[in-house]
Amino acid sequence: MEELSQRYKHSQIKAATHVNSEMLQFYWSLGKDIVTLHAESRWGEKFLVNLSSNLRAKLPGVKGLSKQVLDTLKDFI
């Protein structure tokens, strides 16, 4: 029984690590997209406000999509 519970816990940790890795890759690519779009001047000054609003509308309940967070992402690229 102990081995089964240990395998279950190990699988949970591996799954969480994988999810975190995928989300980190998403945020990294989102930051790169933000920098690219700003560099190309394809968007106006309200770009981050609009992006944040659009993402939160498409992904209700998801945290980390505020204008401030999106603005911070571009600083890490």
Side-chain angles (χ1 to χ4, degrees), residues 5-70:
S5 64
Q6 289 299 322
R7 283 183 14 215
Y8 178 81
K9 289 177 183 177
H10 180 72
S11 293
Q12 279 185 314
I13 292 169
K14 282 178 62 176
T17 301
H18 195 73
V19 167
N20 288 341
S21 176
E22 288 295 320
M23 292 309 299
L24 183 60
Q25 287 178 15
F26 166 75
Y27 282 115
W28 182 263
S29 68
L30 178 58
K32 285 181 13 181
D33 291 342
I34 291 169
V35 169
T36 300
L37 291 171
H38 270 274
E40 293 176 359
S41 298
R42 291 172 42 186
W43 300 75
E45 289 186 26
K46 298 274 187 180
F47 166 66
L48 290 177
V49 173
N50 292 335
L51 178 61
S52 173
S53 178
N54 290 339
L55 285 173
R56 286 186 289 160
K58 294 280 186 184
L59 304 167
V62 174
K63 297 184 185 239
L65 300 175
S66 69
K67 184 244 182 223
Q68 292 79 11
V69 170
L70 298 179

